[in-house]
Amino acid sequence: MKVAIMAAGLSGLACAITLEKFGIEPAIFEKRSCVGDRFVNGEILFSLVTRPIQDCIAYLSEKHGIYLHPAANLQKMTLYSPREQAFFEGHLGFTNVRGRESDGFEAQLSRQVRSPIQFHSEETYEGLLSHYTHMVMATGDGDYAKKTRNFREDLTVSLRGATVEGSFDRYAVAAWLDNDLAPSGYAFCIPLSDTEATIVIAYPDDPHREPPDPELLWDRFYERARSDLKQPLRITDQFQITHYPIGICRSARIGNTFYVGNCFGSLMPYLGFGQFSALLTGIYAAMDLAGEGNYEELTAPLRQSYEDSLVLRRTLERLDNSDYDRIVHLLRLGSRLIENEKINPLKTASFLLRPYVKWKQGVTS
Ligand SMILES: Cc1cc2nc3c(=O)[nH]c(=O)nc-3n(C[C@H](O)[C@H](O)[C@H](O)COP(=O)(O)OP(=O)(O)OC[C@H]3O[C@@H](n4cnc5c(N)ncnc54)[C@H](O)[C@@H]3O)c2cc1C
């Protein structure tokens, strides 16, 4: 068996580490000059979305021998709508660093890989196919799956973010639900350390509406973040991504090609969380290749989470700012429920919101 992994991001590296544990040495092809060769940003591993797994860092090490150090364990979250705010406390998950940093998740994973990584790769799927018996597609998008008509793209998202200097509680994040800042999307402030944070807005591209002015949204959000966080937030770096595809492949495996990470459909349509699922798909593909499981079956719960999250996204796209105020107000009253580790808040929220949105549709149609 000769396995090629196309790309050394989260899912590709998790796949390589797991294959090596089973005695298979893959060849890894990465188009960039080193692992994590992109802007630095903070991301979140939210236990709210990985439940029933409450501690995904411990789960990855104990169950799969993959060792990651987060930036911090997340203890607090403040959620802002235009006029309300709610506050959550407890073990909410972890924050971590991505991109060009020695502590970035990509760098941490690559230190656990022994197989050679070929950087600056210009290899194509078709080219690699003639030399390898099995292919793992881990390029972070649905491009190759789309080419073979194996990808259902559900939406694209535009993101704009910055690294800012200030004074932060590294165990706390802030989030905003406000259509004036990120229409049908969200904004976050995620500390990288006590003195640096990522601030970011992300919103779906709506093909049926005039696109919002990204500069205007960013200026509004920057002002709002400075006001809510009560500090000037000096910008030291900026990034922008347009039309980041979110979708899911129809088959997780076709022939001897495995689709992992975002190529599988790791990116959850509602809030764009995808890291944990990306790592799991890489691990599961390797398990299948090593004869330790069936990839389609192992990924079935991830596929279900994707579809649940899509329902929530489509539902929440109908909400206006006064709805957000009501929801955040209710969440404030129900914060104990969210903090309860036995409850899956996204599933519960999607269940509770549906009748309200139906009623809303009736009022506005
Ligand atoms: C700005 C931003 C913020 C995010 N925030 C969060 C968050 O807070 N929480 C969360 O859970 N998720 C978040 N996500 C999503 C999460 O980062 C992704 O779901 C996850 O990284 C997907 O892993 P992957 O392995 O599919 O792709 P990646 O980790 O992105 O890796 C893809 C790799 O493919 C390489 N590549 C691309 N094309 C080729 C090619 N043709 N040949 C070889 N190599 C190629 C790239 O260089 C890269 O190294 C965020 C994403 C972005 C962009």
Side-chain angles (χ1 to χ4, degrees):
M1 177 184 286
K2 279 180 76 186
V3 182
I5 301 178
M6 206 161 155
L10 293 196
S11 57
L13 292 168
C15 184
I17 296 168
T18 313
L19 282 172
E20 287 172 7
K21 285 189 202 310
F22 291 116
I24 300 168
E25 191 176 292
I28 309 165
F29 298 89
E30 166 59 49
K31 78 168 179 189
R32 293 199 171 123
S33 57
C34 60
V35 291
D37 185 17
R38 68 155 163 93
F39 58 84
V40 174
N41 68 308
E43 297 196 3
I44 304 176
L45 287 155
F46 245 130
S47 57
L48 298 180
V49 293
T50 60
R51 286 178 189 170
I53 297 163
Q54 179 66 13
D55 185 331
C56 53
I57 296 289
Y59 179 85
L60 286 169
S61 63
E62 277 163 29
K63 188 119 173 99
H64 298 294
I66 289 188
Y67 304 100
L68 289 166
H69 301 292
N73 58 319
L74 184 56
Q75 294 293 332
K76 294 180 200 160
M77 179 169 95
T78 310
L79 178 62
Y80 299 92
S81 64
R83 290 167 196 281
E84 294 282 344
Q85 53 176 289
F87 186 65
F88 308 99
E89 248 183 323
H91 179 54
L92 303 177
F94 299 93
T95 55
N96 66 282
V97 181
R98 297 290 305 273
R100 252 174 249 118
E101 275 279 325
S102 59
D103 280 341
F105 264 10
E106 297 94 329
Q108 292 189 34
L109 289 168
S110 74
R111 291 194 284 270
Q112 296 166 56
V113 174
R114 287 190 310 275
S115 310
I117 304 176
Q118 186 184 310
F119 291 107
H120 299 293
S121 165
E122 291 183 4
E123 295 285 356
T124 60
Y125 169 71
E126 293 78 8
L128 290 172
L129 259 188
S130 51
H131 296 97
Y132 293 88
T133 59
H134 294 80
M135 291 288 301
V136 177
M137 300 306 292
T139 50
D141 52 40
D143 283 1
Y144 276 96
K146 256 195 243 167
K147 257 188 172 176
T148 51
R149 303 197 184 167
N150 184 33
F151 196 75
R152 188 190 82 211
E153 185 174 289
D154 289 313
L155 66 150
T156 64
V157 177
S158 291
L159 298 104
R160 170 125 184 220
T163 304
V164 290
E165 282 179 350
S167 169
F168 303 100
D169 172 358
R170 62 162 71 200
Y171 304 99
V173 296
W176 289 261
L177 289 174
D178 183 334
N179 284 331
D180 295 332
L181 314 177
S184 303
Y186 53 89
F188 267 104
C189 172
I190 306 170
L192 298 162
S193 68
D194 297 333
T195 54
E196 273 192 323
T198 296
I199 55 171
V200 62
I201 51 173
Y203 50 93
D205 305 303
D206 185 343
H208 307 296
R209 266 194 256 161
E210 184 78 10
D213 177 354
E215 289 301 320
L216 183 67
L217 294 179
W218 176 255
D219 289 347
R220 280 192 201 139
F221 169 58
Y222 186 45
E223 261 325 294
R224 178 78 195 270
R226 283 149 54 111
S227 155
D228 285 342
L229 303 177
K230 298 181 182 59
Q231 45 183 320
L233 303 178
R234 194 175 79 82
I235 292 177
T236 56
D237 192 18
Q238 297 205 53
F239 61 88
Q240 187 158 11
I241 299 177
T242 50
H243 309 302
Y244 188 47
I246 299 186
I248 190 156
C249 63
R250 293 190 169 83
S251 303
R253 171 184 182 170
I254 293 188
N256 288 334
T257 299
F258 293 74
Y259 297 91
V260 300
N262 291 354
C263 301
F264 162 78
S266 296
L267 206 52
M268 294 297 137
Y270 173 48
L271 285 177
F273 295 117
Q275 296 190 103
F276 186 52
S277 179
L279 291 162
L280 289 180
T281 55
I283 294 166
Y284 293 160
M287 286 168 66
D288 188 320
L289 283 161
E292 296 287 327
N294 175 293
Y295 187 49
E296 291 284 2
E297 283 170 23
L298 289 165
T299 49
L302 302 178
R303 193 176 281 285
Q304 187 56 50
S305 296
Y306 178 95
E307 299 297 348
D308 284 346
S309 175
L310 185 61
V311 169
L312 197 58
R313 155 125 310 281
R314 295 301 183 216
T315 321
L316 291 183
E317 272 164 13
R318 300 177 183 283
L319 302 184
D320 58 26
N321 274 349
S322 53
D323 296 322
Y324 279 143
D325 280 335
R326 268 179 228 122
I327 289 165
V328 172
H329 184 76
L330 285 173
L331 286 174
R332 190 174 72 202
L333 302 176
S335 62
R336 288 280 162 266
L337 284 177
I338 303 276
E339 289 156 10
N340 185 330
E341 293 176 10
K342 294 201 177 81
I343 291 175
N344 182 329
L346 284 188
K347 270 206 167 132
T348 315
S350 119
F351 175 75
L352 293 174
L353 279 171
R354 276 178 221 198
Y356 174 67
V357 172
K358 266 204 175 145
W359 168 78
K360 181 93 187 158
Q361 272 175 301
V363 170
T364 50
S365 61

